[in-house]
Amino acid sequence: MALTTAEQAYLNSHPVITYCADPDWEPFEVITADGQHVGIAADLLRLAAERAGVRLQLVITRSWDETLADSKSGRCTLLSFLNQSPAREQWLTFTDPLFIDSNVFITREEHPFITDPHALSGESIVLPYGTSIEERMRADYPNIGMITVNDEKTAIEMVDARQAAMTMRSLIIAAYTIRAQGYFNLKIAGQVPNYENRLRIGVAKDQTILRDILNKGIASITPVEREAIINRFVSINIETGIDSTMIIRIVAVAGGLVLLVLFYALHQRALGIRLRQAARTDALTGLANRTHLNELFPTEITRAHSTGKPLSVILLDIDHFKAVNDQFGHLAGDQVIIGVATLIRQSLRASDLAVRWGGEELLLLCRDTPPHAALSLAERVRQAVEQHPFGAPPHVTISLGVASLWPDEQEDSLLQRADDALYHSKRAGRNRVTIDHDDHAGSARNSL
């Protein structure tokens, strides 16, 4: 990435750039108790700044109000992750978007789906004070009563307690909050057309050259890199939703209540499918997650016992994965996990299930598979990974452990034996397969 002579001179004369962040906007950004800035925004900002050659220093704040005040006073040159608005343009200029996310309504489960906010009457929305969404909602939908609070946590608690009909959040935060904090009485109830969060870096208004430098860093971030950062913090699959504006137009032209009811039903069904899929899928790799395995495993154990058909498990671990993260960075580590998962998918039969077991550890559930066939599959996967050119790092290997179900055995015992076999592979030098031939009388292991 090339900087102009003037841009390089600016960086030479400004070796450190101060910035402020929202201290409590999980999973986008949080300032931890030990003063660390973490989250999606933190990683995107750091990556853009690093690519642009900008060295950052965090100014710690305790609330969003304090963050805004420090930005206005000039205590910090940058604001990390926010929407552009006329009010903020009084003291800030803005970079190109770091991230784009839709805003959605959150209501209680019993609230009807919101197709046209203009049609709402006698209802209230609760929003954090001083946000760009508050500005826009007041201007665009004066028919909805406005309640402002200090933070998003209070806003969603008020909806849960029926003290307000709705709030609005980004799709990522809405799905994250409902699942992570157990708000089972709440749902995503609609999307406002053209109310996207186009989250940018706010730069002090007199520092346009710094804005231009940061834009070069932002432009260098690839979609894959951006997705990997998001998936590190949010275990959901983000999909493009139904175009509600187009549906409303169709309803208006058709003039039929039946079509409106059908749209509502289809939207709810599609939303339910997406959320169920997200709850069962690992966002980084696209493989099943442990929740899915926990749902499926008892049924597979019972099926194997009742039919007498074999069932095998393969546990695998990426060798020296901490060294990959330390030497090449977490983004490279994520790409290694994605690459291994892709190679596994290419090696499996349709009846097998691949699972992100945790971190760099993956699990293969192999239906109707006796020990020798599971051993062959494990070795095929091991060779595929060993021979694959990953780039950075150039060479990746995995260790694997194989175990097959005993008569009357349950999943905990089967998993433990597979884990013991994996540990044996790692202790024996890694990049190998160990099959556990334990039976009730004794044990012996073979390694490849």
Side-chain angles (χ1 to χ4, degrees):
M1 186 188 70
L3 296 180
T4 66
T5 302
E7 288 169 344
Q8 191 59 60
Y10 176 91
L11 293 181
N12 292 340
S13 62
H14 297 79
V16 176
I17 302 296
T18 58
Y19 78 99
C20 290
D22 190 330
D24 186 20
W25 197 20
E26 194 174 12
F28 282 143
E29 57 182 352
V30 173
I31 298 177
T32 63
D34 60 350
Q36 300 299 309
H37 182 212
V38 299
I40 294 170
D43 281 8
L44 286 171
L45 175 64
R46 273 192 288 269
L47 183 58
E50 179 183 330
R51 297 272 175 84
V54 176
R55 184 181 173 191
L56 298 176
Q57 179 179 320
L58 175 66
V59 176
I60 296 176
T61 55
R62 293 164 295 180
S63 68
W64 177 239
D65 284 344
E66 184 179 340
T67 296
L68 288 176
D70 282 358
S71 174
K72 291 177 181 178
S73 70
R75 187 168 177 235
C76 44
T77 306
L78 305 180
L79 269 182
S80 70
F81 208 58
L82 74 169
N83 283 299
Q84 186 172 355
S85 73
R88 293 167 180 173
E89 287 172 348
Q90 295 178 26
W91 82 95
L92 294 173
T93 184
F94 290 87
T95 66
D96 297 333
L98 266 176
F99 178 67
I100 300 175
D101 187 26
S102 298
N103 276 300
V104 294
F105 287 113
I106 302 176
T107 68
R108 284 188 60 86
E109 183 66 34
E110 63 269 17
H111 194 286
F113 183 75
I114 301 170
T115 56
D116 181 9
H118 287 293
L120 296 175
S121 177
E123 299 201 48
S124 58
I125 186 168
V126 56
L127 294 170
Y129 173 77
T131 63
S132 63
I133 294 300
E134 180 204 347
E135 291 180 42
R136 291 191 63 183
M137 287 296 296
R138 285 187 186 277
D140 295 345
Y141 299 102
N143 55 302
I144 304 175
M146 178 69 66
I147 303 171
T148 56
V149 293
N150 290 330
D151 53 59
E152 291 186 329
K153 181 175 183 295
T154 303
I156 203 163
E157 286 174 349
M158 288 183 65
V159 176
D160 188 50
R162 295 190 175 90
Q163 295 172 342
M166 68 197 76
T167 186
M168 182 177 285
R169 280 192 173 184
S170 85
L171 177 59
I172 279 185
I173 291 184
Y176 175 88
T177 302
I178 290 172
R179 290 179 55 211
Q181 299 183 19
Y183 285 107
F184 302 117
N185 293 321
L186 302 184
K187 68 178 181 182
I188 297 171
Q191 178 179 339
V192 183
N194 303 317
Y195 261 57
E196 290 180 328
N197 285 304
R198 304 180 71 85
L199 295 158
R200 310 167 187 263
I201 304 171
V203 184
K205 201 165 186 176
D206 61 346
Q207 303 291 318
T208 55
I209 190 170
L210 176 58
R211 176 203 61 197
D212 296 340
I213 293 170
L214 289 169
N215 274 337
K216 293 182 177 181
I218 292 170
S220 74
I221 301 175
T222 67
V224 171
E225 290 171 328
R226 187 173 280 106
E227 183 177 355
I229 288 173
I230 294 164
N231 289 339
R232 236 187 351 256
F233 295 93
V234 185
S235 296
I236 60 173
N237 292 333
I238 304 301
E239 302 178 12
T240 302
I242 300 171
D243 186 345
S244 56
T245 302
M246 181 61 68
I247 294 295
I248 292 170
R249 288 174 180 171
I250 294 172
V251 171
V253 172
L257 181 60
V258 173
L259 189 55
L260 180 59
V261 172
L262 177 61
F263 164 70
Y264 173 75
L266 289 175
H267 186 282
Q268 292 296 91
R269 180 176 180 272
L271 182 60
I273 291 170
R274 289 201 299 272
L275 291 178
R276 284 195 297 273
Q277 181 184 8
R280 300 169 64 190
T281 303
D282 174 65
L284 179 63
T285 63
L287 302 181
N289 60 18
R290 288 185 75 155
T291 299
H292 189 185
L293 181 67
N294 291 339
E295 294 172 353
L296 187 65
F297 216 161
T299 302
E300 293 299 324
I301 295 284
T302 300
R303 174 180 172 274
H305 286 324
S306 62
T307 63
K309 292 184 178 180
L311 178 69
S312 295
V313 165
I314 302 171
L315 269 177
L316 65 94
D317 185 89
I318 300 173
D319 295 331
H320 304 295
F321 186 73
K322 184 178 184 300
V324 173
N325 280 336
D326 291 346
Q327 184 176 355
F328 298 96
H330 289 280
L331 290 177
D334 287 343
Q335 292 307 306
V336 168
I337 295 174
I338 293 169
V340 171
T342 301
L343 294 171
I344 288 172
R345 270 195 295 264
Q346 294 170 353
S347 302
L348 297 188
R349 305 164 302 178
S351 59
D352 298 326
L353 178 71
V355 180
R356 176 94 179 274
W357 184 245
E360 70 274 20
E361 202 168 43
L362 307 176
L363 179 146
L364 313 182
L365 181 64
C366 306
R367 303 175 178 94
D368 304 332
T369 305
H372 69 275
L375 180 64
S376 296
L377 172 60
E379 176 61 16
R380 186 162 70 248
V381 171
R382 185 198 67 79
Q383 291 180 10
V385 173
E386 183 183 32
Q387 296 167 7
H388 183 75
F390 281 83
H395 186 61
V396 175
T397 62
I398 57 175
S399 299
L400 305 95
V402 181
S404 296
L405 186 69
W406 292 336
D408 301 323
E409 186 178 26
Q410 297 305 311
E411 56 261 35
D412 288 347
S413 172
L414 175 60
L415 289 171
Q416 184 60 57
R417 291 193 296 111
D419 191 58
D420 290 344
L422 170 60
Y423 179 72
H424 185 275
S425 290
K426 294 168 71 173
R427 190 172 56 183
R430 296 183 170 85
N431 191 24
R432 66 190 63 219
V433 180
T434 299
I435 184 167
D436 189 304
H437 287 310
D438 285 2
D439 57 30
H440 296 295
S443 67
R445 290 189 175 93
N446 292 335
S447 292
L448 288 175

